[in-house]
Amino acid sequence: MTAKPKKLVLGLPKGSLQDATFLMMKKAGFNISVGSRSYLPAINDPGLEGRLIRAQEISRYVEHGMLDAGITGYDWILENQSDVQVVADLIYAKQGLRPVRWVLAVPEKSPIRSVKDLRGKRIATEAVSLTRQYLRRNKVKAEVEFSWGATEAKAPELVDAIVELTETGSSLRAANLRIVDEVLQSTTKLIANRKAWKNPWKRRKIEQLALLLAGALAAETKVLLKLNVQQKNLPKVLSILPALHAPTVNRLSSEGWYSVESVVDEPVVREIIPALKEAGAEGIIEIGLNKVVP
Amino acid sequence: MTAKPKKLVLGLPKGSLQDATFLMMKKAGFNISVGSRSYLPAINDPGLEGRLIRAQEISRYVEHGMLDAGITGYDWILENQSDVQVVADLIYAKQGLRPVRWVLAVPEKSPIRSVKDLRGKRIATEAVSLTRQYLRRNKVKAEVEFSWGATEAKAPELVDAIVELTETGSSLRAANLRIVDEVLQSTTKLIANRKAWKNPWKRRKIEQLALLLAGALAAETKVLLKLNVQQKNLPKVLSILPALHAPTVNRLSSEGWYSVESVVDEPVVREIIPALKEAGAEGIIEIGLNKVVP
Amino acid sequence: MTAKPKKLVLGLPKGSLQDATFLMMKKAGFNISVGSRSYLPAINDPGLEGRLIRAQEISRYVEHGMLDAGITGYDWILENQSDVQVVADLIYAKQGLRPVRWVLAVPEKSPIRSVKDLRGKRIATEAVSLTRQYLRRNKVKAEVEFSWGATEAKAPELVDAIVELTETGSSLRAANLRIVDEVLQSTTKLIANRKAWKNPWKRRKIEQLALLLAGALAAETKVLLKLNVQQKNLPKVLSILPALHAPTVNRLSSEGWYSVESVVDEPVVREIIPALKEAGAEGIIEIGLNKVVP
Amino acid sequence: MTAKPKKLVLGLPKGSLQDATFLMMKKAGFNISVGSRSYLPAINDPGLEGRLIRAQEISRYVEHGMLDAGITGYDWILENQSDVQVVADLIYAKQGLRPVRWVLAVPEKSPIRSVKDLRGKRIATEAVSLTRQYLRRNKVKAEVEFSWGATEAKAPELVDAIVELTETGSSLRAANLRIVDEVLQSTTKLIANRKAWKNPWKRRKIEQLALLLAGALAAETKVLLKLNVQQKNLPKVLSILPALHAPTVNRLSSEGWYSVESVVDEPVVREIIPALKEAGAEGIIEIGLNKVVP
Amino acid sequence: MTAKPKKLVLGLPKGSLQDATFLMMKKAGFNISVGSRSYLPAINDPGLEGRLIRAQEISRYVEHGMLDAGITGYDWILENQSDVQVVADLIYAKQGLRPVRWVLAVPEKSPIRSVKDLRGKRIATEAVSLTRQYLRRNKVKAEVEFSWGATEAKAPELVDAIVELTETGSSLRAANLRIVDEVLQSTTKLIANRKAWKNPWKRRKIEQLALLLAGALAAETKVLLKLNVQQKNLPKVLSILPALHAPTVNRLSSEGWYSVESVVDEPVVREIIPALKEAGAEGIIEIGLNKVVP
Amino acid sequence: MTAKPKKLVLGLPKGSLQDATFLMMKKAGFNISVGSRSYLPAINDPGLEGRLIRAQEISRYVEHGMLDAGITGYDWILENQSDVQVVADLIYAKQGLRPVRWVLAVPEKSPIRSVKDLRGKRIATEAVSLTRQYLRRNKVKAEVEFSWGATEAKAPELVDAIVELTETGSSLRAANLRIVDEVLQSTTKLIANRKAWKNPWKRRKIEQLALLLAGALAAETKVLLKLNVQQKNLPKVLSILPALHAPTVNRLSSEGWYSVESVVDEPVVREIIPALKEAGAEGIIEIGLNKVVP
């Protein structure tokens, strides 16, 4: 008798987070392909079953157990007030390695200057519950209505204020809106159903996923620098390399020469390459990385 | 002192109903152009101010008076339970001159056979209130949850049933779903704010809009047939033309010849043209119409 | 007991002829809509069942009776050597109201000057049988091979000559090819299965289709001219109007004025409008037509 | 001996004016088709040879005789300071039946309030000569530089002011620019080479083009209204119809009934249809027109 | 006197295999760029001349010597029954590193359960010869007809069964078809003309191509793992690394530390990274590879 | 008091050079993202402020100091006759790592055979000044006119010759034009404003940019080869590796084995891999590089 193979059912976010998530999963070692039936993407791991679901809904189905785990935004976990296990913070959002922000915005010429001024006003948002939680925290009573889209066009004619997602604020400015307050910063999370989290096999699978995703994410902003250097210049070269990741130093066959390798944060590279050259480093090369696991 | 010109603020449906609505408005004599600020489309009538808003929200803003009137689907008026004046039934929907249908659908192999079987089940839909009204009418208690999209993929894994829009049923079949019941048939409506409806100038403007839209809609399925016929064949020819719209008969300069014009329903044309020819009609021509006002 | 409704199964050409065919059908009074299952388009006539099939294959399935009738190119009827009833010549092709041409083409610098020079050569074409029939008519033996596409790129390196479809010859010129001979001119045909043609109900339906398509096609190049003219100028005005379609002359209520209407070929209009004005015609208007049935 | 057929070489504007021009030409009776060699569009009139050239350059080539006639914007005739015969004003521009405007615009917060304030400033524009003519008329000295595009993004950082085309002003507002002055209003013109204008055959051909284009343009904003009315209501109905175009009145075969036809400006239709109904008109239909030649 | 440079004429598959092939060639070190004349792509190797030809036709032209070598699917080599030298099996197909399958499929409700049931039936396919070979192998007589496309829509109305390409079977399921048998598995092959294969220079060039393509293909599924480890943990770490590719071990300058590098199959990575960490590995990094030549 | 942070304002080329430039900047370590306001792209370096401007205009604004530095084509620096500091030659253009060419072209059948034959002729070009400089160098007087586009269609009807950009010459050939002379070869340059170049902070920033861009460009055509080899084969293996970049040789823990690493020009790889294998190299792997700084 063959036992049914073990499977982890994993919710993947359809829509704006999808591309970034699939890329991270690929770097973590999991290829996802979406065929004509997009709800059931194929993953090249017999232990994983993907489900492609709107980010807004994933935490709901993880909570109720239709999914064992899921990748979704922190904002929608709060909006749904879902009781789930947050396993890992994956520090990416729609457009890169930084959080998105939900902000309270009003028309440029509105007299509203703080959340307190919202008393009795009408607010449109896609995140009704999130907005109500925010108002409650601030002890303000106001009417919150669900917006089906184009929220930034609604103030001031249809509503007094909006709570809307923004990355750079430029689409708010283009709509002549002013940011009054930040309601929430949100990044992507790996979450698990509380019961699945207690199942040893499932927990191990989820933790493997978390480790590999973290390794892939770390590699996003890191590169490998390699260089050769003479013994006399070695201390100076080593002093330039950031202390965080200890460089690998290795004696070469050519007398008196060393090779040095170090994983470096990408934004630092552009600062130190001129300095390394000056310090006597030769043959500097930079190599991209798929994963970095410290 | 110049009086501010009178304006009717009119909500126009953004999204799937938009193209059909703009076409009807154009045939009715109103050109709408959407620039970079799509919320404020321009209309070539100084008495009208357009607002481009999701069909789901129009009735809400008509009810509360931000809009004087609006064009939206009957389904969303019910979903919002808006208290508005329904002025005219415009018998078109997204894809032509017929209603759309909201249906209750379940997986092919589901044991659910009627609304009664929904007791205690979970239903996903974009129209939560509509679905709850339907369940209440049928005295059934079930859990209804808002679906952010791709609803037809959710059954049976995430929910037991869905309530979804359909035109031909083909996308439901493609998802291996079976229609159990029709929840609602919906067409497009011209609606008015109750206070605006009592304002004589606004009501007159809304009624003009209703008359012209009705004329444009009627013209969609009608054509003008013109033909010449000799006196001896006139009675036979007239007997073939539908009685509904009395034909215009006119004596020509050529002795014994008459011209006949008649507005005819387009689907009838393909049946009667062979008959008219046989009855002696000559020089039959068919002309398209912009408006038909009986 | 209800009798099964009578149906005519009609093959419609998928691909390059599709748009032109659907437009003609629409003008003839038949709206065709293609949903997600494109093989089964819907037609707004309960007596017609559409099948969307490549033009290359329609005559094959009409001959064998899977289709009662079909609209396809004359070229593919010959290519398939199908035994079918040709009901009507619909004088349109892919890009307008003129035939397409299959031509024999060779590289600019090829020594081949006539079909006779093909002896022993290799020819690539999408229409292998058509080309073989052409060679046989010309008593030339040559190798003909099926081309899966990009035929015009194959000469001179892969083959010596090609037989290819052309409308203006410009893509052949762009590939540095020279037309040696015309193999076939082809227009669109309405064809019927021989057995279906003997069934009275089906034949009547096919003839109705033929009449309405012919009316729609005729209307493509005709317009209605209307004008008013005083009695003294009437003869001159009438002499300018083409004799083919007798104008409808009508006495107006204004003493001494006549209205004149005439269906005119569109290319003629631009010649006669200046002449009509000079002859005293007033209020000349031109109206487009959906159908003209003489 | 065969004489070479007479031909008029006509410049047609490539780019933003192209679609509107082709549509007008089609309504005037000339089908233009652009193949792979877009410089040489085909026109269905053996007496016309089209050349598709940027609107900016047409007047230059008409002046120098490479083209006999051309359709282009008044702005570019002035920019090129071309000595050509202006034959007709075709009152359309890129986006409809109204002129485009070249305006002087500056950043919202600029101290520049009038053309006089431009002294010593730097202005970017696609129409360098036009702008210099404007400055000269206003006796202002300033530096004008050619802008290769995205002109509205250049102020205030790269230049002090711009001279730019606008239709609704919305893209200027979106770039936070303020209109200071109107430099030019421009519509489309039919122009002729001075020598071609003196050639009788060419002049006749150009005038035919002008007449038909004018007829097509007039038809853009007019429709034919047809209605039936009883004798007693005839005067009232006639009094409602605009006086400009005398209606055609005609006694019907039915005793005491008249048919009335009138060409009416389209924006008027929406006002008078309710009035006509009230006055006793029946069976009102509205028909679109291809050409109106008074 | 300059000798004409030696050239290998190489057929590259146009269409569905094109992207995957160009990518492999690029990884192998050959950049192919397709300009406006797509038949003649440019390759950055003076010894190679590319020809872009439909995969269906390449083996035909390799056999006849118009091409020295080609990259095409095994299916089309069989379909054309081409006598060519198969040089290398490149284990990719349209959508990844796995074969495509030609299958025999019938409507869900068809009584056909095995190839034997095809006797006397009609089968549509793009691969007529392949299908006939299959039937002959199975000693079944049936009618096979060429399908110009949309083959899966043809059963059951037009034919009884189809032989069609599939990767996941999902488009067959969507068309309500059931797979009865597998006709062929096919991958991409590098093939050579028999005469070219005997020419030493050409054979050397083809073998170089085969080696580099194999290296690029191997790299598709492999990565380089690097890590540092203390001497005491070295044996455990080494025992975890797959035995297939011997790891490179190297003493570092820091006393008692070793660096380990190993090429690892990508799917294994996600299993061993947690184990390596547990075994004491530090600073694990994963690097992508362009080529792996064992 | 906080000092304003130092910023270098950098012009980036909008249009055909944009993609290649953004890619190089990214490899150099600078991510550029273009939002809704494309004039102000964001760069992930607080010391850089990007401006997205047409390549044609950048040198003008660098010269006048609105930009501190810029990346643009050498052709447009000459066309604008801008007095700027050329800091680095970045050897890429629109379509790869090679210059673009401006050529003088005439119709195939034109009698013009050299620049001398242009005397008194009319030339169309987008680069009027460049063309005039070229004529002056060749002591030829001719009329040069600005072309707004589609320049290659203008000869011979509108002008006698053109000066146009070309990469492969194929679009000129398609227009039946013949290249008479090369006017200019152009690559991309990093340029600086003369005053900014004297400011130490700005110069240092520009030099850093130049160094990193050069490193990224060098990496475009180089790869890292790694291999293992036994001592006896080491000399032979080292003799095969190009002398330019000295290989890094390293004794492995396995007795008698060495690892060898070398940065190699990519086009050389395909030649030496077979040779290296033959010489006893094992486990050859190739790794792509982000930057190479010698």
Side-chain angles (χ1 to χ4, degrees), chain E residues 101-119 123 134-135 138 140 155 160-164 166 169 172-173 176-184:
Chain E
R101 301 162 65 214
W102 287 88
V103 296
L104 172 67
V106 299
E108 283 285 7
K109 298 178 183 169
S110 163
I112 297 170
R113 293 279 150 193
S114 88
V115 57
K116 297 298 180 193
D117 302 331
L118 287 179
R119 201 167 315 271
I123 307 160
Y134 165 76
L135 291 172
N138 285 282
V140 171
D160 303 292
I162 67 170
V163 168
E164 181 64 325
T166 185
L172 292 177
R173 266 195 306 278
N176 283 318
L177 297 178
R178 171 168 44 83
I179 295 178
V180 170
D181 195 6
E182 184 178 287
V183 173
L184 182 79

Side-chain angles (χ1 to χ4, degrees), chain F residues 115-134:
Chain F
V115 57
K116 297 300 181 191
D117 301 331
L118 288 179
R119 203 168 314 272
K121 303 295 184 188
R122 180 186 289 263
I123 306 160
T125 182
E126 265 192 283
V128 168
S129 165
L130 214 63
T131 301
R132 287 197 179 128
Q133 293 166 41
Y134 165 75

Side-chain angles (χ1 to χ4, degrees), chain F residues 185-235:
Chain F
Q185 288 212 3
S186 174
T187 53
T188 304
K189 307 281 183 190
L190 174 63
I191 57 175
N193 174 268
R194 294 222 176 271
K195 210 173 139 194
W197 189 241
K198 285 174 189 146
N199 172 315
W201 183 88
K202 289 188 176 174
R203 178 157 180 174
R204 198 181 164 76
K205 191 78 201 164
I206 295 167
E207 283 175 338
Q208 178 205 29
L209 208 57
L211 178 69
L212 294 167
L213 281 168
L217 261 162
E220 276 292 277
T221 53
K222 291 185 170 48
V223 293
L224 180 67
L225 277 194
K226 297 183 68 145
L227 56 89
N228 294 341
V229 63
Q230 276 186 286
Q231 190 159 13
K232 58 174 180 184
N233 296 323
L234 186 57

Side-chain angles (χ1 to χ4, degrees), chain C residues 155-166:
Chain C
E157 202 174 64
L158 303 177
V159 296
D160 303 291
I162 66 170
V163 168
E164 181 63 326
L165 208 59
T166 186

Side-chain angles (χ1 to χ4, degrees), chain F residues 49-62:
Chain F
E49 273 202 9
R51 296 291 180 270
L52 198 52
I53 299 175
R54 294 288 295 260
Q56 291 96 326
E57 301 175 331
I58 283 178
S59 74
R60 189 161 80 196
Y61 295 123
V62 169

